[in-house]
Amino acid sequence: MLSLSPQDDSSPAPRPQRIAVIPGDGIGPEVARAAAGVVLAAAERFGARLELEWLPLGADHYLKTGETLTDEMFAHLRDDCDAIFFGAMGDARVPDMRHARDVLLGLRFRLDLYVNLRPVKLLHPALTPLKGRGAGDLDFVIFRENTEDVYVGMGGNFKRDTLDEVAINEMLHTRKGVERIIRAAFEWAVANGKRRVCMSDKANVLQFSHGLWQRVFKLVAAEYPQVESRHLYADVLAMEMVRAPQDFDVIVTTNMFGDILSDLGAELVGGLGLAASANLYPGRVSLFEPVHGSAPALAGKDVANPFGMILTGALMLNALGHPAAGAAVERAVVECLAAGEATADLGGPLGTQAAGEAVARRVRAER
Ligand code: NAD
Ligand code: IPM
Ligand code: MN
């Protein structure tokens, strides 16, 4: 179970839960359409009342209107929606990624979605590039801090475009920010019967900011004596994830390292096309997006793998209080993988929509 705040499956909601779907750019709309079909099929099968609202935010909208995330839209997402289901953003026509920074990073910051939970789980033995590894060896989650670090966008260019140019991006860490993500990682470990939490930083270089991570990690770890705590520098962690992935249950790390390590983790279990993620503030409206980006070269061809977004839908169903539906979606993906019902990146014969429909069909057939 991946929800941090599971609700009771049996208590009927007074109104349908509203999911804002932001398909975004590139392959975003294609994987969002396929995944929405699966989420709705699971909702119907398990009696969850969901309402999807499709929002056109993305590069096209920005280029047409100059708008990225207006205050009104932000208030609507915060106040009227139960979850945000996000495809991907990134478009060559917006080289500075202004719209993606405003919308995706804007939502992470403004909704204070401090947990970026990224599972790394092998769903079929043939999918790992690691020799001699099986399902039991690859099953951990990355808790990526999601509101601080170099992502805050503080900095600037001095004497820009001259030979004397100076460029600065500040790395920001707060006691509150570090403590809450580390605590979330331990809480999740305890709630899910996991034994080990590994914190990763580069405190050997970043003595001030990652020194804070070290001190806070020791303090919080002491509150969870039943959980084994361990520290690895991020460079060594990258190596250990490949050498001995079975040694990890929960990895907690900074925003930037979590970004990089989660792509590495994805590749260990089948690639970016399969990787899911949840941006959470437990108990509040949260944002669910696959780990991958807009993959412009694949866009519009019905070839992108929708499973990452579909598994992201499973995380969303869990968080919305429908764990049976979430589990059914994950099972259906596992069954499709076993049956070879998958897209070309996984060696399968199906297009994006057909792969989504194959999962939906299995979800509908769940007994
Ligand atoms: P990417 O994730 O889009 O693609 C990386 C590689 O993975 C490519 O080879 C791509 O073809 C492949 N890939 C990704 N998703 C796939 C899928 N569903 N099925 C099959 N193959 C898939 O990363 P990139 O190329 O570095 O970035 C493209 C754009 O997306 C950039 O503008 C980037 O900033 C943006 N981006 C957005 C997000 C997001 O919206 N959350 C995440 C990462 C990158
Ligand atoms: C991700 C992406 C984003 C990030 C980009 C698009 C801002 O790579 O969600 O992993 O760096 O967080
Ligand atoms: Mn990334």
Side-chain angles (χ1 to χ4, degrees):
M1 218 51 27
L2 287 156
S3 167
L4 284 170
S5 56
Q7 297 152 24
D8 186 350
D9 234 7
S10 61
S11 56
R15 61 162 175 81
Q17 289 172 305
R18 181 177 295 164
I19 298 171
V21 188
I22 302 178
D25 308 327
I27 62 169
E30 295 168 67
V31 295
R33 183 148 76 88
V38 173
V39 167
L40 287 175
E44 194 177 329
R45 170 63 192 79
F46 291 89
R49 292 171 63 219
L50 304 182
E51 195 177 272
L52 267 45
E53 179 187 4
W54 293 77
L55 299 172
L57 304 185
D60 279 342
H61 183 73
Y62 173 56
L63 291 167
K64 250 185 255 148
T65 65
E67 279 175 9
T68 55
L69 180 68
T70 61
D71 288 344
E72 292 72 32
M73 180 59 79
F74 173 70
H76 172 58
L77 293 169
R78 181 193 58 201
D79 301 336
D80 309 330
C81 299
D82 297 285
I84 302 165
F85 199 35
F86 185 99
M89 275 188 196
D91 186 303
R93 293 169 300 163
V94 190
D96 66 358
M97 286 282 281
R98 164 78 201 278
H99 68 304
R101 268 188 289 120
D102 281 9
V103 180
L104 177 59
L105 298 184
L107 286 169
R108 288 180 187 167
F109 292 133
R110 294 170 75 180
L111 293 170
D112 205 18
L113 305 174
Y114 65 92
V115 175
N116 189 187
L117 186 152
R118 297 189 154 181
V120 176
K121 187 172 172 184
L122 187 61
L123 299 179
H124 186 284
L127 290 173
T128 183
L130 301 180
K131 249 188 268 159
R133 296 291 181 190
D137 298 319
L138 284 142
D139 186 4
F140 59 88
V141 295
I142 296 175
F143 271 68
R144 167 191 181 191
E145 200 292 319
N146 213 28
T147 54
E148 303 195 336
D149 199 354
V150 290
Y151 279 78
V152 294
M154 292 168 70
N157 296 84
F158 180 52
K159 299 189 180 177
R160 196 189 153 120
D161 294 329
T162 72
L163 293 178
D164 294 324
E165 177 158 355
V166 178
I168 295 177
N169 270 95
E170 294 288 359
M171 174 185 285
L172 179 150
H173 298 272
T174 66
R175 166 67 194 249
K176 173 182 148 190
V178 174
E179 182 168 345
R180 66 184 181 175
I181 185 67
I182 291 175
R183 193 173 293 286
F186 277 98
E187 285 293 323
W188 189 89
V190 170
N192 291 275
K194 302 291 184 185
R195 286 185 296 117
R196 302 164 298 186
V197 173
C198 175
M199 189 277 274
S200 187
D201 60 25
K202 276 288 284 182
N204 46 354
V205 182
L206 303 168
Q207 71 272 40
F208 308 118
S209 53
H210 290 190
L212 174 65
W213 276 75
Q214 293 267 324
R215 285 179 277 122
V216 173
F217 184 63
K218 283 200 184 82
L219 286 173
V220 176
E223 294 175 33
Y224 299 86
Q226 73 276 39
V227 179
E228 213 176 283
S229 60
R230 172 185 188 199
H231 169 263
L232 289 174
Y233 295 123
D235 47 354
V236 176
L237 173 58
M239 179 205 79
E240 287 293 325
M241 278 172 59
V242 174
R243 192 189 69 83
Q246 75 280 5
D247 288 352
F248 301 100
D249 290 328
V250 180
I251 290 169
V252 60
T253 190
T254 62
N255 203 340
M256 178 70 99
F257 292 160
D259 177 43
I260 296 166
L261 294 167
S262 56
D263 272 31
L264 171 60
E267 197 56 33
L268 297 180
V269 294
L272 273 178
L274 268 172
S277 105
N279 300 259
L280 304 164
Y281 186 113
R284 289 200 204 160
V285 56
S286 293
L287 184 151
F288 301 83
E289 47 152 355
V291 175
H292 66 70
S294 57
L298 307 184
K301 299 179 179 158
D302 193 44
V303 295
N305 186 347
F307 288 180
M309 181 111 193
I310 289 171
L311 292 165
T312 298
L315 296 179
M316 180 172 71
L317 287 164
N318 289 343
L320 287 171
H322 310 297
V329 169
E330 185 176 318
R331 260 197 317 276
V333 170
V334 170
E335 285 170 18
C336 282
L337 291 169
E341 295 170 11
T343 44
D345 55 313
L346 302 181
L350 302 183
T352 308
Q353 301 314 318
E357 189 42 46
V359 179
R361 207 177 305 120
R362 289 176 185 278
V363 167
R364 283 188 213 103
E366 279 270 336
R367 10 182 77 258

